[in-house]
Amino acid sequence: MKADSATGSGLKRELGLGSATILVIANMVGTGIFTTSGFIMESVGNPMAMLACWFAGGILALCGALCYGELGAMFPRAGGEYVFLRESFGRAMGFVSGWISLIVGFSAPIAASAVAFATYFYRIFPEAWPVSPDTSFFEAGFFAISPTTLLATAVIVVFSLIHCYSLVFGSHVQNLLTAVKIAIILIFSITGLMLGKGSTAHFGSAMDPKLLWSGGFATSLIFVSFAYSGWNAAAYLGAEIKNPGKNIPFALIAGTLVVMAIYLLLNGVFIYALGVEGMRGIMEVGAVSAEALFGTGMEQAFSAAITFCLLSVISAMIMAGPRVYYAMAADDLFFEPLKRIKKPHGTPVFSILLQAGIAVVMVLTTSFDKLLLYIGFTLALAAMLTVIGMMVLRRKGFHLKSPYKTFGYPVTPILFILFNLWIILFCIKENPVVFFYGAGTIAAGILAFFYFDIRRKRKQTRP
């Protein structure tokens, strides 16, 4: 198969529609759905209001997917927001979004998910290990080695090597992990509703419409939107998806709709199992629901299921992120080795290894705890600017040659922009320090851009 002539890259269009859609699903379904519903129920206090919150969050994610679908069809290249913002606002804006992706969008969540995997893994058989998972083998300042950090590091390294080897092989592993994850969720949900010891009375009476305008509903919607993050995953692999003009929009939209259905189904099971009072304020709502439905001992089995599900999320992020850094390097705006493609399988090996290295450092230094404080703020900012950029490109007529146009334009992008603006303002109001963390990251990205841009211009003027 020849390299993508449309982009001039060394990447190959080997990813089909099914794999692209599965990548979106895998990026979205993580621990959030199993841990946030109890707090949402505490905020809204009504089962139908909680379901409405998850439905509204899905609609907003779908608005984003519809907009990104048009951008992906316009520019079917590797890089996602980096390419979209570069085309709409210029190189500097594109670079800063790529910088954010490297640190906040992928490396930090990979580190956090890997540590979560290790933590859950050791909980499954707590008596089988000779030492506590948190026992420190070595500690120096912020640097610490423990069974938890060693296992988290091993997971990152193994999956990074898998995705270094081959896009096709990596996508097969990804598809298998995601298929098992969906099967686990469906089996739990269906058997829970049919055979579990729940009650339909837990759904209670009709919801008071005033709840939709309450502060608790608004706050909950922000947390729900974070659980839906990842709906844009297929856009990062635009240069490797077959028939991108049709498949990128379809993968984004179909993947988001599938996850929306899964989230509503799971929350229905949680309500059926526990009711309002049983869910209120519970973090491990998935494990507690499993025990309520099937009896003592199922909490540990459910923890094992969540542990396996995390592998799919880690793999998906490791797969998507490096395409951003590859695209930056291909434009001579990042370290040159990052644009090298491993032959014959066509993977951006150095970009994958860079991301793995940063994620491992975050695991060993636990610095990702601070990074996670502003993930929502910075990612909402990047997504909002990207969709604003889509509207700018529309005014320039770029959409006229695109095989896909955003459904519901201009209402769809305006709704998405306003919602993300609200998230940004809310995050700053509730935790002002996120603004300084975010501003610091952006400032560092701007300085890095000037360095690489000056280097790029010097390279172009060389005889």
Side-chain angles (χ1 to χ4, degrees):
M1 183 178 292
K2 294 181 179 179
D4 175 21
S5 58
T7 64
S9 76
L11 301 174
K12 301 177 181 179
R13 295 204 182 278
E14 298 179 316
L15 213 61
L17 174 60
S19 294
T21 305
I22 287 172
L23 179 66
V24 174
I25 296 170
N27 262 274
M28 295 174 75
V29 182
T31 56
I33 181 60
F34 300 112
T35 56
T36 58
S37 291
F39 299 113
I40 293 170
M41 184 65 84
E42 187 174 34
S43 295
V44 299
N46 181 278
M48 301 311 293
M50 190 189 79
L51 291 175
C53 190
W54 283 98
F55 179 79
I59 293 298
L60 291 165
L62 184 61
C63 287
L66 290 166
C67 295
Y68 271 59
E70 179 171 322
L71 288 165
M74 281 186 199
F75 307 107
R77 305 166 192 169
E81 285 102 348
Y82 165 72
V83 172
F84 304 153
L85 286 169
R86 182 194 67 194
E87 296 297 329
S88 55
F89 294 119
R91 292 179 184 273
M93 185 77 80
F95 181 91
V96 171
S97 75
W99 179 266
I100 289 172
S101 292
L102 174 61
I103 299 172
V104 183
F106 291 101
S107 298
I110 287 169
S113 296
V115 170
F117 167 83
T119 303
Y120 271 107
F121 183 84
Y122 286 120
R123 281 182 189 170
I124 298 171
F125 306 107
E127 298 177 358
W129 312 104
V131 295
S132 168
D134 296 323
T135 301
S136 181
F137 297 143
F138 176 81
E139 195 167 344
F142 291 106
F143 187 83
I145 297 178
S146 68
T148 298
T149 59
L150 285 175
L151 180 57
T153 297
V155 168
I156 293 170
V157 171
V158 168
F159 279 99
S160 295
L161 292 176
I162 287 172
H163 290 294
C164 280
Y165 174 70
S166 164
L167 174 67
V168 174
F169 178 70
S171 68
H172 288 336
V173 172
Q174 181 64 61
N175 294 349
L176 176 62
L177 290 172
T178 308
V180 174
K181 175 165 70 174
I182 294 173
I184 289 171
I185 292 172
L186 291 178
I187 291 170
F188 168 72
S189 300
I190 294 170
T191 55
L193 292 172
M194 294 181 64
L195 305 174
K197 300 173 184 177
S199 173
T200 55
H202 290 161
F203 288 90
S205 57
M207 174 188 65
D208 184 349
K210 292 181 181 179
L211 278 174
L212 299 178
W213 309 104
S214 67
F217 188 89
T219 302
S220 298
L221 194 55
I222 291 174
F223 292 110
V224 166
S225 71
F226 295 157
Y228 275 104
S229 62
W231 47 262
N232 54 352
Y236 295 102
L237 282 82
E240 295 160 277
I241 295 175
K242 300 173 183 176
N243 193 10
K246 293 182 179 180
N247 287 346
I248 292 176
F250 190 91
L252 294 171
I253 296 166
T256 303
L257 287 172
V258 168
V259 172
M260 186 176 172
I262 289 172
Y263 282 1
L264 289 172
L265 175 62
L266 267 174
N267 278 286
V269 174
F270 297 157
I271 294 168
Y272 178 73
L274 300 173
V276 175
E277 296 306 319
M279 288 183 66
R280 201 186 292 269
I282 300 296
M283 186 179 77
E284 302 292 344
V285 66
V288 176
S289 296
E291 187 168 6
L293 288 169
F294 304 112
T296 306
M298 285 306 297
E299 184 175 354
Q300 191 174 22
F302 193 83
S303 294
I306 293 177
T307 303
F308 184 88
C309 289
L310 280 168
L311 292 178
S312 172
V313 180
I314 295 167
S315 173
M317 288 189 289
I318 288 173
M319 185 178 182
R323 274 64 187 176
V324 181
Y325 333 133
Y326 162 82
M328 294 163 70
D331 285 345
D332 291 324
L333 283 175
F334 216 21
F335 301 109
E336 188 171 346
L338 301 184
K339 67 180 179 182
R340 295 178 188 170
I341 299 298
K342 175 180 178 289
K343 298 179 180 180
H345 298 298
T347 56
V349 171
F350 290 100
S351 291
I352 295 171
L353 294 179
L354 171 67
Q355 178 180 263
I358 294 174
V360 167
V361 169
M362 290 179 179
V363 166
L364 296 178
T365 60
T366 65
S367 60
F368 66 88
D369 287 338
K370 294 179 180 178
L371 286 169
L372 289 177
L373 288 173
Y374 68 102
I375 279 180
F377 166 75
T378 47
L379 295 187
L381 179 62
M384 182 185 73
L385 290 173
T386 300
V387 173
I388 291 173
M390 186 205 76
M391 300 184 78
V392 171
L393 292 169
R394 273 258 185 163
R395 291 184 65 85
K396 294 179 179 178
F398 277 77
H399 67 292
L400 297 176
K401 295 182 180 180
S402 174
Y404 166 79
K405 313 291 191 300
T406 300
F407 175 80
Y409 186 93
V411 175
T412 305
I414 289 174
L415 181 63
F416 183 80
I417 290 166
L418 291 176
F419 176 69
N420 279 277
L421 180 61
W422 174 47
I423 288 180
I424 292 166
L425 295 176
F426 181 87
C427 288
I428 293 173
K429 179 184 175 183
E430 292 297 308
N431 192 356
V433 73
V434 302
F435 173 76
F436 296 103
Y437 279 129
T441 303
I442 292 168
I446 292 171
L447 291 175
F449 168 75
F450 282 123
Y451 167 77
F452 285 108
D453 193 47
I454 290 171
R455 197 183 69 166
R456 177 183 67 85
K457 290 176 180 177
R458 286 177 177 172
K459 182 179 178 181
Q460 289 178 343
T461 55
R462 287 175 189 167

